[in-house]
Amino acid sequence: MKCTLFKCLKEMEGPFPDLRELHKKLLQSAPLHEDVSACAALLMPRIANEAPNNSAIHETAGTETNLATTWVARDVTLLQLSLIQILIIKAENLCTEPQVRCQYSQVLELLQQNGADTTIIGLLQTSDKVLSHISSKCLSYLVLYQLKFKNEVNPHWLQFCLNTFSDDPGSPALMQCLMSLMAVYKGILVDERIRKADYLLQIMAALENVFEGFCSTWISRLSVTECQPPPPDAESSSQLSCLLDLLEVMVALKIELKLNDSLCKRVLSAILPQALNLMSCPVPYFVKKQVILVLKRCLLYKAGEDFLPSPHNIYNQQDVVLDEDLAVLATTLLNAVRQGWLLLVPSGDGSSGFGGANEGAERGPDLVILGAASLSVLKALEIQFHSKAYSSLGQGHTEFSETSLYMALLLTFLKQHLGCKEPEHFCEWVSLTFIEQDDDMLEVAKSLLQMHLHNPRPRTTRNDDQDILKLPSHQCGMNPHCIFLFLLKNVSFDASVLLDFLISSETCFLEYFVRYLKLLKEDWPQFCSTCTFLDKSASLQLPAVASDSVHPLQTVGLSRAQESSVAGPKIGKPSPCSHQSESSSSLGALQRLVEYDSSEDSESEVSGSEPCPVMAHCAGGDSSDLDKHMKKLGLTATCLTFHTTAASKQTAAYQAVGIQHKSAQCLLQLQEAINRLHRKKLFPYNPSALLKLLTHVCALKCD
């Protein structure tokens, strides 16, 4: 029997030597010396019989022969599919020699003429998951290749998608269909050659009716309440997760390409609102978590940030508030919140994630899903406000009339999951929830500040900390002064962290900081009252000024050389930003600062009285966008002359102690650091207007 099996394997080895040789040539981008038609025939996949189950294997020579034949044929097919992908990559690569690219293109043309795409579509529907997955990837490569070089949408692939979405959810080919469609959408999104053509609109138009109906049917089945359906199996849960990924890609297409396609509009205004019902469905925790995260990214205008070659320009976020489709999504979410939707949002163990459990991690609530749900509600409120303001232009002041209601529901939701006593200051919820998520914390601070500015608020002219408890903004957990002070506390009053935020183009800190400084100029007495109130409370334990402690939030450290270069001499250790990914765009700038010269002697090379030029942008940043955005915030880049010593002399104006003194020192150090970098021509944009604001604020003192 063993001899028979060995003989069979030897006979079936036929294509492998030729395929291995072809593999070597493709890796080296070498020319094909044999006839291209022979190469096409060698690469043409075949639909192999599925391997029998082990339980059905009998110890007979005939059965062993069939088993060997089946698995060898399967391996040949897998190798052929992989080589077709490599062939397409090499044919598209401009580094490949022109004559070699021509040869490779001829092979691909012959494969198409011989129906390779229809054969691969047949392989997608096999129960062999490895084979179906590789087939899906290969098919996506072929479809994108035809879009780029044949200027046509593959009709067989499009019909396969139509047929799959027309079937009932749970089709064996559904996962591969979703993955292939998502791969094609991403390919269009990241390739300049095809993203501006109308191929995407052709695909969207063909799929519009069946896709929306498919999504509605699937979600409706899971949302049945009269007779609760059984939880979906692992396969169905994976398909549902893949569908959510696809929906995010479609929203990213709408944002990035500014599409007015009706299907993309329906994703925002119909399909995603329906997905909110999944919170009450018996689906796995990771699916519910993904729903919240996709919702958050869409409302933040950041859909697709994980796979786009460059993130959406955060300074264009204001355009999305006028988008009618996003306003529909926001309104649907707020209506659901009023009906108790937040109570359905789960919060599993924070030590668990998409990839499994971290046994060594500290147990606690999942702050990612809590933060995403909270931020989604706040962004929905902000979008609703802007929609109302836009629709009522010229009709007087528009305000968030229901802000207190939604904030009360949000605070109740967080209190339920955080598992701690009700904080003495409601505003502390921002710090407790977003302790590990700097970018989301800043988005929340900006949204709360927006709502505070657009709601009527009492004006105080005296420093009375007892009035703080009576403020509506404080009772709703959105007192902007409390939130700013807790933010400073989270970064241990370290000016270098604020500087990192200002340099980074991946957070909204510049926009938030400018608006808050403007408020601080007008609302200084209330800021003083808030500082006094927090000093008297036990909720904000401030470290000593000379403390060497580092807050747990800070995980990415700056060297002392970087510290001296970026922020000048400071007291205590540096406390950098918590998320390395958030500060990646500013790391290049920080490295340049160190390479330039970190010594104080280098400042003498640049005269302090020189005019302040507009700086070239740093790595990952865009100075023109930042300068334009500062102008939108009402900051004119009037060139001023600043001296480091002048800012230092203002320290004497601060007679207060405690948190107010620490905040003042932090802002002074930030001003000095920005001024120093600006004089060295190392700041990524012109900060003159920002420095002017800081100077005005630092000159204030409590009466």
Side-chain angles (χ1 to χ4, degrees):
M1 296 180 187
K2 292 183 179 179
C3 294
T4 305
L5 181 59
F6 179 75
K7 181 179 178 181
C8 178
L9 289 173
K10 288 290 292 182
E11 291 175 355
M12 286 302 300
E13 192 182 18
F16 276 111
D18 295 333
L19 289 172
R20 282 195 292 264
E21 185 64 27
L22 180 59
H23 183 220
K24 293 178 182 178
K25 291 182 179 180
L26 292 178
L27 290 180
Q28 299 171 1
S29 301
L32 304 174
H33 298 296
E34 59 272 17
D35 185 32
V36 293
S37 59
C39 290
L42 183 63
L43 289 174
M44 187 67 189
R46 300 284 188 272
I47 299 180
N49 295 326
E50 295 187 13
N53 295 329
N54 291 336
S55 59
I57 298 177
H58 302 287
E59 292 297 325
T60 63
T63 304
E64 290 177 348
T65 302
N66 291 337
L67 179 60
T69 302
T70 300
W71 280 104
V72 170
R74 171 186 180 271
D75 293 344
V76 168
T77 303
L78 288 171
L79 183 54
Q80 288 171 329
L81 294 172
S82 300
L83 291 179
I84 291 174
Q85 295 180 54
I86 298 175
L87 185 69
I88 293 174
I89 293 172
K90 296 293 184 179
E92 293 180 353
N93 194 341
L94 298 178
C95 296
T96 306
E97 294 183 4
Q99 62 272 21
V100 177
R101 291 180 62 198
C102 182
Q103 275 189 321
Y104 292 177
S105 298
Q106 291 175 4
V107 175
L108 291 170
E109 182 67 27
L110 289 173
L111 287 172
Q112 290 288 80
Q113 291 176 5
N114 288 292
D117 51 356
T118 56
T119 302
I120 295 173
I121 290 173
L123 292 171
L124 287 174
Q125 305 178 56
T126 179
S127 60
D128 188 326
K129 293 187 177 181
V130 175
L131 186 57
S132 62
H133 177 69
I134 300 299
S135 301
S136 174
K137 291 184 62 178
C138 185
L139 180 62
S140 303
Y141 273 87
L142 281 173
V143 172
L144 286 170
Y145 179 81
Q146 283 186 279
L147 288 176
K148 296 172 187 176
F149 299 98
K150 301 299 180 182
N151 299 318
E152 62 180 9
V153 179
N154 188 298
H156 301 110
W157 169 79
L158 190 56
Q159 188 61 46
F160 162 69
C161 294
L162 286 169
N163 293 340
T164 303
F165 290 133
S166 298
D167 293 339
D168 288 337
S171 167
L174 177 59
M175 174 65 86
Q176 309 311 327
C177 175
L178 293 171
M179 293 183 66
S180 178
L181 188 60
M182 184 161 50
V184 172
Y185 282 163
K186 287 183 179 180
I188 294 174
L189 193 58
V190 301
D191 196 305
E192 291 289 343
R193 290 172 290 182
I194 54 177
R195 64 184 298 181
K196 295 182 180 179
D198 61 348
Y199 307 124
L200 182 61
L201 296 178
Q202 294 178 30
I203 299 172
M204 295 284 190
L207 296 177
E208 180 177 352
N209 294 328
V210 294
F211 183 76
E212 183 180 353
F214 166 80
C215 295
S216 299
T217 301
W218 198 359
I219 296 174
S220 297
R221 284 186 181 180
L222 291 172
S223 305
V224 174
T225 55
E226 296 178 358
C227 181
Q228 191 73 316
D233 55 18
E235 180 72 17
S236 299
S237 299
S238 298
Q239 292 172 350
L240 189 55
S241 176
C242 191
L243 175 63
L244 292 171
D245 285 334
L246 179 60
L247 294 178
E248 182 180 356
V249 172
M250 296 174 73
V251 176
L253 285 169
K254 178 176 176 59
I255 295 174
E256 190 74 9
L257 304 184
K258 303 186 185 307
L259 288 181
N260 290 321
D261 175 76
S262 55
L263 181 55
C264 288
K265 292 167 68 70
R266 296 296 293 169
V267 169
L268 278 174
S269 61
I271 299 177
L272 276 178
Q274 283 184 326
L276 296 177
N277 296 328
L278 291 175
M279 290 300 106
S280 60
C281 298
V283 296
Y285 176 76
F286 78 89
V287 173
K288 295 184 179 182
K289 183 172 184 176
Q290 188 176 359
V291 172
I292 301 295
L293 292 175
V294 171
L295 177 66
K296 182 197 78 170
R297 286 192 287 264
C298 291
L299 290 171
L300 283 177
Y301 209 59
K302 292 182 178 181
E305 64 178 351
D306 293 336
F307 58 82
L308 284 173
S310 59
H312 301 303
N313 190 340
I314 62 173
Y315 303 113
N316 290 331
Q317 287 189 27
Q318 58 212 43
D319 297 334
V320 77
V321 299
L322 304 179
D323 189 284
E324 296 179 357
D325 306 313
L326 203 57
V328 172
L329 176 59
T331 301
T332 305
L333 174 60
L334 293 178
N335 290 337
V337 170
R338 290 179 65 113
Q339 298 171 10
W341 180 80
L342 283 174
L343 301 178
L344 302 174
V345 175
S347 175
D349 187 354
S351 62
S352 299
F354 287 109
N358 183 359
E359 298 298 336
E362 184 179 352
R363 301 288 176 175
D366 189 344
L367 295 180
V368 173
I369 193 170
L370 294 182
S374 303
L375 182 51
S376 298
V377 173
L378 292 178
K379 293 305 294 185
L381 270 173
E382 189 177 342
I383 290 171
Q384 186 183 67
F385 165 77
H386 282 282
S387 298
K388 290 181 178 179
Y390 181 73
S391 61
S392 60
L393 287 176
Q395 299 180 16
H397 180 74
T398 303
E399 63 182 66
F400 289 100
S401 58
E402 298 179 333
T403 300
S404 58
L405 169 64
Y406 290 108
M407 290 303 300
L409 293 172
L410 187 57
L411 290 173
T412 302
F413 160 70
L414 291 172
K415 180 183 176 183
Q416 172 187 352
H417 290 290
L418 288 176
C420 61
K421 296 181 180 180
E422 183 177 347
E424 185 173 351
H425 305 297
F426 294 143
C427 306
E428 195 177 3
W429 73 270
V430 177
S431 297
L432 293 175
T433 307
F434 298 95
I435 187 69
E436 299 173 354
Q437 301 163 273
D438 291 344
D439 54 345
D440 286 353
M441 179 187 292
L442 295 174
E443 288 285 354
V444 168
K446 182 177 72 111
S447 294
L448 293 176
L449 179 59
Q450 283 278 84
M451 288 187 279
H452 174 82
L453 293 175
H454 288 287
N455 275 288
R457 55 190 188 276
R459 296 286 182 177
T460 58
T461 57
R462 60 193 182 92
N463 189 349
D464 189 352
D465 59 275
Q466 295 303 318
D467 288 342
I468 298 297
L469 287 174
K470 303 176 184 178
L471 293 176
S473 61
H474 189 86
Q475 295 174 352
C476 292
M478 50 185 289
N479 185 337
H481 303 303
C482 286
I483 292 170
F484 179 71
L485 293 171
F486 278 118
L487 171 63
L488 293 184
K489 181 254 184 181
N490 278 348
V491 298
S492 296
F493 298 88
D494 190 340
S496 66
V497 181
L498 303 186
L499 181 65
D500 191 33
F501 286 156
L502 285 173
I503 291 175
S504 174
S505 61
E506 297 181 13
T507 71
C508 62
F509 183 71
L510 174 61
E511 181 177 359
Y512 163 71
F513 193 50
V514 166
R515 287 177 177 170
Y516 179 72
L517 289 179
K518 287 184 174 181
L519 172 67
L520 198 54
K521 286 174 54 181
E522 304 172 358
D523 212 20
W524 180 255
Q526 201 166 101
F527 173 77
C528 296
S529 301
T530 304
C531 290
T532 304
F533 180 76
L534 292 178
D535 280 334
K536 292 180 179 179
S537 71
S539 66
L540 189 59
Q541 297 295 336
L542 299 178
V545 176
S547 173
D548 289 338
S549 62
V550 179
H551 196 274
L553 173 69
Q554 300 130 12
T555 57
V556 182
L558 297 178
S559 66
R560 292 192 177 274
Q562 287 174 313
E563 179 189 359
S564 62
S565 175
V566 176
K570 304 197 317 299
I571 300 176
K573 290 186 178 180
S575 318
C577 175
S578 64
H579 287 290
Q580 187 172 1
S581 61
E582 294 165 19
S583 18
S584 59
S585 64
S586 60
L587 290 181
L590 297 180
Q591 291 168 358
R592 286 175 53 201
L593 304 182
V594 177
E595 291 169 359
Y596 178 84
D597 194 346
S598 62
S599 67
E600 293 298 321
D601 296 337
S602 64
E603 291 190 20
S604 61
E605 299 174 9
V606 183
S607 172
S609 60
E610 285 185 9
C612 304
V614 177
M615 300 301 126
H617 67 84
C618 67
D622 190 334
S623 64
S624 60
D625 284 342
L626 289 166
D627 288 332
K628 290 177 182 177
H629 186 59
M630 291 183 71
K631 290 180 181 178
K632 290 180 182 179
L633 296 174
L635 294 179
T636 57
T638 306
C639 189
L640 302 174
T641 302
F642 296 94
H643 300 275
T644 305
T645 55
S648 301
K649 291 179 181 178
Q650 294 172 352
T651 308
Y654 292 91
Q655 304 297 330
V657 294
I659 187 172
Q660 184 179 339
H661 176 72
K662 293 177 184 296
S663 303
Q665 291 283 27
C666 181
L667 294 179
L668 280 171
Q669 291 166 4
L670 178 63
Q671 180 187 358
E672 293 172 5
I674 297 174
N675 186 35
R676 181 183 302 109
L677 296 180
H678 188 38
R679 292 202 313 271
K680 292 181 180 180
K681 302 182 180 181
L682 291 174
F683 207 74
Y685 52 90
N686 191 339
S688 298
L690 179 60
L691 284 170
K692 185 177 181 180
L693 258 180
L694 277 170
T695 300
H696 289 163
V697 170
C698 291
L700 296 171
K701 62 179 180 178
C702 191
D703 294 331

